[in-house]
Amino acid sequence: MLQKSLTTCAVGLLLVTPALARANDSAELEKIRAEIQQLREGYETRIQALEAKLRETGAAADRAEESAQRAETAATQASTPPARANAFNPETSLILQGAYKDKKNLPNRHITGFLPTAGAPDNTRGFSADASELSLAANIDSWLRGYANLVFMDGSVEVEEAYFETLGLGKGFTLKGGRFRSGIGYQNEMHPHAWDFADNNLMYQALFGEGALQDGVQLKWLAPTELMVELGAEAGRGAAINNANQNGAASVNLFAHVGGDIGVSHAWRAGLSWMHAKVDHRSFSGNDLAAQPITGDFTGKSRIWLADFVYKWAPNGNASYNNFKLQGEYFHRTEHGSLACSDPLSPALCAGSGLDGGYRSAQSGFYLQGVYQFMPRWRGGLRYDQLYRGSADLNGSDIGNTISELADHDPHRSTAMLDFSPSEFSLFRLQYAHDQSMAGVTDRQITLQYILSLGAHGAHRF
Amino acid sequence: MNTLWKLLPALLLAFAPVAGATVNVLACEPEWGALARELGGDKVSVYDATTAMQDPHRIQARPSLIARARSADLLVCTGAELEIGWLPILLRQSGNAAIQPGKPGYFEAAPLVRRLEIPTRLDRADGDIHPGGNPHIQLDPRNIAKVGVALAQRLSEIDRGNAAFYQARQKDFAQRWQSAMQRWETQAAPLKGIAIVSQHKAFPYLYDWLGLREVATLEPKPGVEPSSSHLAEVLAQLQQQPARMVIRAAYQDERPANWMSEKAKIPAVVLPFTVGGADHTDDLFGLFEVTISRLIAAASRDDAK
């Protein structure tokens, strides 16, 4: 605009120049001078006006841009959901579980050859709405996060986990305290709803019941390497394998895990754990060889070595359509101490029965399982459990000669399952197990199970 | 013995600490990794947690990712709950204070842009919905530009010594991006207003930018696999109200889109979705070049019929 006006003025000047040459007398010259003066003043005023207008337009453009930016920011903010008063409530998640089980009625259900550690295996048959799990989690402050998992059963609530954990202590350290699932092994940290089979593997069942809980503290350190190297130590009560009431740490666990990727489609993790527990009056019940019920308890030391590995495959690392998971764990446990016969109802049974005395065992076992997702939402899996009863002596002779549940039998079980997940929040499972964990009994078990998750979107571990 | 000597370097490498002189960036998705490379040049070392062939909703907190999170100085993620299934575990297991939410080392892209498809009701019956709106914000280049400004700012904050470097690179990137954007918009002008079908609600930001109209999705609900009954419904709808193409992301199953393509006689288009999702999409510019050229190719194939 401005440029155009200037050009017009310049052209005007050029037109005027020839007139100048022709003018001879001064009056005419004066007149022309005055005209030029007028012309100059005219275009200077116009240029000034145009400049002012330009400044104004520029400012208006700036203003327009500014208000556009404001509108954009407002739109961005408007697309952020408003914070509500209950925004500080913990993330809540409820897991509903239920099953239909078809199996033998064995009131005396047990794993032969292994002193029970945490109650007898489940003998529930028919329909049952199993334990429902309620979990609550939230950051407590800028340092700590809290988590609680409560299991509701008929007539009781069990505190499965209730712990605090540091939020990035830094340098790779994490400190945990309270009641938590121990970091040993692979499956131990998983809640039953995350298991790939409807029941626990025999190894964990024999060692811990459901899993090794720890009332205590855990310190973990992650190495600053490309290969994942994680070291952990725990000290506590050792809830699952011990009902100790003593000062100090009854249970000390150490574990190390390493893991990484092989290309884009394969991932793995392997670990080694060591558990040491001072066991104080861990009770058991059974029958002697004359089928007389007896109860007693074990006091002594329990040492467990655990080796675990898991391997996962998904084409291009995309697990949505097909994926495969292979997992296995091995343990070796030695226990030594003393068995005490304790039968408050009929103390006479214990006296001189030979049920008291030094106890020593060295036992091992493993499980191996593979789960394959053959199409979206559908998975099939196989599991094999094997325990080796090894040596278990009471007063220097085989305890199987005294207590029938501890007879020399190597428990084993084969399991197949098929599950269907309509969405990531629901799962229905059919399972068949050929169970020979009890000496002389072959139990063919069919289980139908559902696992449903309500509420907060839980993140699952590797 | 010989093999041991051969293996030794590999072993040492595996235990080698992650590079320390540069800013270690862990990008949740490849588009943010690419953006960090544009802005950070050789001052950053970037690791992408996912690839274009993976569904960013559904990866796992693998050991390799935990190890990377441990040494990261900056985590660059989408947010808006896209990574809710794995990132919280990664953060908790990393033992890394620098990248926890609220710290400068934790960067989310989605809150910086205007989000689309914010649900008016939150109910799992509606499928895999995100309270913060659709999280796939990367296919609107205007969003990339906005996130770029904020990311350069964040890099300057974390690595103050190189602040001028990041700002200069950002300026350069923004200029190149602006002119590329104008070019793409001119190229894509004929796409305005055409009707399309998508497999997953993965592209609303792309459609919003180019003015495409999504008339149906093959997934009955977000994140729910296409069922045959729903596909039949969509097909019936398309016979009444035709669409010009059916679009899916590279990481998604090809069968539903191909089936629809064959039945409805419209081209099936595979979009890279993010950096690395197709040949020649090694950076953000390539991502948009390929996306637009594939859309235009499909639209003109349809015209020719």
Side-chain angles (χ1 to χ4, degrees), chain A residues 72 75-76 79-80 145 168 170-172 222 224-228 261 312 316-318 321 425 455 459 461-462, chain B residues 14-15 17-18 53-54 60-64 67-68 70 92-93 95 97 111 113-115 118 124 146 251-253:
Chain A
E72 187 67 42
T76 307
S79 67
T80 306
R145 177 180 173 81
K171 305 267 178 233
L222 194 63
T225 51
E226 284 183 26
L227 183 80
M228 188 207 74
D261 288 344
K312 291 188 184 185
N316 289 319
N318 183 2
Y321 302 103
F425 304 103
R461 321 174 60 87
F462 174 73
Chain B
F15 282 96
V18 180
M53 302 317 281
Q54 297 168 352
Q60 287 189 314
R62 299 194 309 275
S64 61
R68 293 287 177 170
R70 157 72 167 94
R92 257 174 263 147
Q93 299 212 333
V113 306
R114 180 173 56 93
R115 265 146 296 134
I118 294 174
R124 288 263 158 77
K146 259 184 240 167
Y251 72 83
Q252 284 166 329
D253 189 6

Side-chain angles (χ1 to χ4, degrees), chain A residues 72 75-81 84 91 142-143 145 163 165-174 189 220-230 258-261 264 266-269 312 315-321 376-377 422-425 453-462, chain B residues 13-19 47 51 53-55 57-71 81 84-89 91-98 100 103 110-116 118 122 124 127-128 131-133 146 199 224-227 251-253 255:
Chain A
E72 187 67 42
T76 307
Q77 278 166 354
S79 67
T80 306
R84 296 182 190 86
E91 301 148 30
S142 59
W143 306 103
R145 177 180 173 81
Y163 64 78
E165 192 177 31
T166 55
L167 287 169
L169 206 55
K171 305 267 178 233
F173 285 100
T174 308
E189 282 187 292
K220 272 201 303 195
W221 180 69
L222 194 63
T225 51
E226 284 183 26
L227 183 80
M228 188 207 74
V229 179
E230 178 191 78
V258 293
D261 288 344
V264 72
H266 314 267
W268 61 279
R269 200 191 86 156
K312 291 188 184 185
N316 289 319
N318 183 2
S320 304
Y321 302 103
R377 305 189 282 176
S423 74
E424 60 183 308
F425 304 103
S453 151
L454 288 71
H457 190 308
H460 275 285
R461 321 174 60 87
F462 174 73
Chain B
L13 208 67
F15 282 96
V18 180
Y47 186 82
T51 73
M53 302 317 281
Q54 297 168 352
D55 181 346
H57 305 94
R58 286 184 200 151
I59 65 150
Q60 287 189 314
R62 299 194 309 275
S64 61
L65 298 184
I66 293 170
R68 293 287 177 170
R70 157 72 167 94
S71 307
E81 296 205 342
I84 195 166
W86 52 279
L87 188 59
I89 294 251
L91 287 169
R92 257 174 263 147
Q93 299 212 333
S94 69
N96 184 348
Q100 299 298 322
K103 296 280 168 63
L112 301 168
V113 306
R114 180 173 56 93
R115 265 146 296 134
L116 305 172
I118 294 174
L122 286 178
R124 288 263 158 77
D128 190 7
K146 259 184 240 167
Q199 184 154 329
V224 178
E225 287 295 318
S227 61
Y251 72 83
Q252 284 166 329
D253 189 6
R255 283 167 297 186

Side-chain angles (χ1 to χ4, degrees), chain A residues 38 52 140 151 169 174 191 223 321 333 343 392 403 408 410 455:
Chain A
Q38 236 173 354
I140 295 163
V151 181
L169 206 55
T174 308
H191 287 270
Y321 302 103
R333 176 179 72 172
D343 197 332
I403 301 171
D408 193 358
D410 291 338

Side-chain angles (χ1 to χ4, degrees), chain A residues 100-326:
Chain A
Y100 172 81
K101 290 173 189 158
D102 187 301
K103 58 186 180 186
K104 279 192 172 139
N105 185 20
L106 301 166
N108 181 34
R109 197 176 277 278
H110 63 274
I111 300 172
T112 303
F114 287 76
L115 265 182
T117 53
D122 176 40
N123 193 42
T124 315
R125 305 193 307 153
F127 289 97
S128 65
D130 288 7
S132 300
E133 285 178 43
L134 177 71
S135 59
L136 301 168
N139 289 345
I140 295 163
D141 52 26
S142 59
W143 306 103
L144 299 175
R145 177 180 173 81
Y147 175 85
N149 183 280
L150 308 171
V151 181
F152 294 93
M153 286 164 297
D154 290 331
S156 69
V157 175
E158 209 171 80
V159 180
E160 185 158 286
E161 286 192 282
Y163 64 78
F164 67 86
E165 192 177 31
T166 55
L167 287 169
L169 206 55
K171 305 267 178 233
F173 285 100
T174 308
L175 182 73
K176 204 187 241 189
R179 173 176 297 179
F180 52 88
R181 287 177 159 262
S182 166
I184 54 109
Y186 171 68
Q187 190 185 273
N188 197 61
E189 282 187 292
M190 287 181 182
H191 287 270
H193 71 259
W195 293 349
D196 291 322
F197 290 83
D199 48 15
N200 207 349
N201 57 69
L202 281 184
M203 167 179 154
Y204 272 76
Q205 228 167 60
L207 292 177
F208 316 117
E210 185 181 293
L213 296 179
Q214 186 71 287
D215 285 10
V217 290
Q218 179 196 66
L219 185 67
K220 272 201 303 195
W221 180 69
L222 194 63
T225 51
E226 284 183 26
L227 183 80
M228 188 207 74
V229 179
E230 178 191 78
L231 306 174
E234 293 167 2
R237 178 184 287 270
I241 47 175
N242 196 0
N243 49 0
N245 183 18
Q246 61 189 45
N247 291 331
S251 162
V252 173
N253 303 338
L254 301 173
F255 56 85
H257 291 122
V258 293
D261 288 344
I262 307 168
V264 72
S265 304
H266 314 267
W268 61 279
R269 200 191 86 156
L272 193 65
S273 316
W274 180 79
M275 307 177 76
H276 176 89
K278 283 184 271 180
V279 182
D280 187 17
H281 296 289
R282 185 180 73 203
S283 60
F284 72 94
S285 59
N287 292 281
D288 67 11
L289 294 184
Q292 287 297 316
I294 51 166
T295 60
D297 57 48
F298 169 70
T299 300
K301 284 184 174 152
S302 180
R303 278 196 194 89
I304 306 174
W305 280 96
L306 280 171
D308 66 88
F309 85 92
V310 59
Y311 158 81
K312 291 188 184 185
W313 168 83
N316 289 319
N318 183 2
S320 304
Y321 302 103
N322 297 117
N323 65 71
F324 176 67
K325 178 183 180 189
L326 184 70

